[in-house]
Amino acid sequence: VQVAESGGGLAQVGGSLRLSCVMSGSLLNLFTINWYRQAPGKQRELVASNTTASEVSYGDSVKDRFTMTRDNSKNTVHLQMNKLKPEDTAVYFCKAQAVYGNIEYWGQGTQVTVSS
């Protein structure tokens, strides 16, 4: 089983980016999917979470700006990031957490850089 992020890049303050996380080797609907980010010198931060029941929650720093969606038919989740701020600059990681069993899979991360 693998998860792979894409969609990172350079954006301006106030701009938007859309990240994707694609799972291969299993069915996405068996996993809760979490987006994390880690900025240089900082701890990894939970950004958004989407359960198998499509219940979504967000970290306080991204509420009302980021939207996470799931498409089980494509084994893909997206993270739409709007109104980007310099403090959103980080490597963004996708984690798949199995509903049954203590199993998780991490992607390699995708860099997001927000500049003015």
Side-chain angles (χ1 to χ4, degrees):
V1 179
Q2 292 184 325
V3 291
E5 307 93 339
S6 62
L10 179 64
Q12 292 192 333
V13 172
S16 299
L17 284 172
R18 188 192 195 205
L19 305 184
S20 298
C21 173
V22 178
M23 172 176 280
S24 59
S26 188
L27 296 174
L28 190 71
N29 60 9
L30 298 177
F31 295 84
T32 287
I33 305 299
N34 299 313
W35 282 100
Y36 289 83
R37 67 186 182 187
Q38 188 164 22
K42 294 188 177 181
Q43 290 190 333
R44 193 164 290 187
E45 173 190 13
L46 178 62
V47 174
S49 181
N50 188 313
T51 71
T52 55
S54 292
E55 297 166 330
V56 186
S57 59
Y58 300 95
D60 288 341
S61 61
V62 305
K63 278 181 182 177
D64 301 322
R65 298 189 298 122
F66 290 10
T67 303
M68 184 176 178
T69 56
R70 170 194 289 258
D71 186 343
N72 288 330
S73 68
K74 296 181 179 179
N75 257 20
T76 301
V77 295
H78 298 290
L79 184 68
Q80 178 67 42
M81 306 187 298
N82 298 329
K83 300 179 182 179
L84 286 165
K85 303 176 181 180
E87 50 264 43
D88 294 321
T89 295
V91 178
Y92 284 71
F93 298 89
C94 175
K95 185 186 84 170
Q97 177 72 51
V99 174
Y100 302 105
N102 188 24
I103 300 171
E104 60 183 39
Y105 302 98
W106 286 86
Q108 79 288 350
T110 186
Q111 175 71 47
V112 170
T113 302
V114 183
S115 70
S116 54

